[in-house]
Amino acid sequence: MAFVEPVTLRQSGLRLEPLALAHEAGLAAAAADGELWRLRVTSVPEPQDTRAYIETALEGRAQGHRFAFAVLDDASGQVLGSTSFHDILPAVRRVEIGWTWYRKSVQRTHVNTTAKLLMMGHAFDQLACHVVGWRTDNFNFASQRAIERLGARKDGVIRGHALRRDGTIRDTVMYSMRSGEWPEARAQLLYLLQRHAQD
């Protein structure tokens, strides 16, 4: 039995369901909203590469180290983007959250906060993880701010860690949250979502 089993997560009009080939057209349309593949610090697929992107994610799921979700508007079924559990380490009860991107029209809305709340809740409350981690490009300042808003702590920087799509080598900024920090982080995220709903 896999550590991360197939599950669909729902809250506040958002649905996270296991990424599948059936999401190909919707995922390509989401990436086209803002031509997100042109950003050098993201992993968003170009339209013609969407199927291969999904197949790679499914391969990671079969191997047990990645579980990708499609992020959808629950009412309309529109694909808003994708996010994943990755670097899954059952022996130490640790997962990371990443490979996250959303169509431009829903960026800076409640979508990312809600998706992270769902994933962190699943990781800590259902999978009984001790640690949830994040990693991002040293030049992806928007991602760093978003991770820090979740209540994660910066662990450090791994220098010369990975290749970007343009062939340059990036430094990777690492973050984490321990299970004991989750209740306070959850309270803060729920507070932020409540404020957003009132605006």
Side-chain angles (χ1 to χ4, degrees):
M1 193 167 89
F3 183 59
V4 181
E5 288 287 317
V7 64
T8 297
L9 308 172
R10 282 185 169 90
Q11 183 168 326
S12 304
L14 205 65
R15 182 169 85 245
L16 274 63
E17 63 185 32
L19 185 64
L21 289 173
H23 297 116
E24 181 180 355
L27 208 64
D33 181 350
E35 297 187 342
L36 302 176
W37 63 87
R38 297 188 185 278
L39 301 173
R40 81 186 271 261
V41 294
T42 71
S43 59
V44 181
E46 294 188 39
Q48 70 273 13
D49 298 330
T50 305
R51 186 178 183 88
Y53 179 90
I54 297 171
E55 288 172 343
T56 298
L58 294 176
E59 190 176 309
R61 175 174 156 185
Q63 294 170 356
H65 61 80
R66 181 178 173 198
F67 192 99
F69 293 92
V71 180
L72 298 93
D73 178 273
D74 201 18
S76 69
Q78 181 186 46
V79 178
L80 306 178
S82 184
T83 188
S84 297
F85 289 124
H86 66 94
D87 285 76
I88 298 167
L89 301 174
V92 294
R93 307 199 81 81
R94 176 188 168 101
V95 298
E96 293 187 33
I97 297 174
W99 298 82
T100 300
W101 57 272
Y102 307 105
R103 56 172 62 235
K104 188 172 184 180
S105 57
V106 299
Q107 292 175 14
R108 304 187 67 79
T109 68
H110 74 289
V111 168
N112 184 56
T113 304
T114 303
K116 292 300 188 296
L117 181 68
L118 286 166
M119 293 183 75
M120 292 160 71
H122 188 68
F124 286 123
D125 301 333
Q126 275 68 55
L127 302 179
C129 285
H130 298 307
V131 177
V132 172
W134 293 262
R135 60 180 70 188
T136 189
D137 190 293
N138 60 301
F139 283 119
N140 194 340
F141 302 116
S143 176
Q144 291 171 46
R145 287 191 297 271
I147 293 167
E148 289 166 6
R149 275 196 303 273
L150 299 173
R153 299 189 183 183
K154 186 174 177 179
D155 295 321
V157 179
I158 305 175
R159 299 183 66 182
H161 183 238
L163 282 174
R164 298 187 182 96
R165 66 171 68 219
D166 64 3
T168 58
I169 300 173
R170 82 175 202 186
D171 294 348
T172 298
V173 187
M174 302 292 294
Y175 292 88
S176 67
M177 180 183 294
R178 298 185 69 91
S179 56
E181 298 161 347
W182 166 233
E184 179 64 17
R186 176 175 50 200
Q188 177 65 10
L189 292 175
L190 289 170
Y191 167 74
L192 292 174
L193 287 171
Q194 184 180 31
R195 283 190 59 190
H196 177 269
Q198 292 171 349
D199 289 344

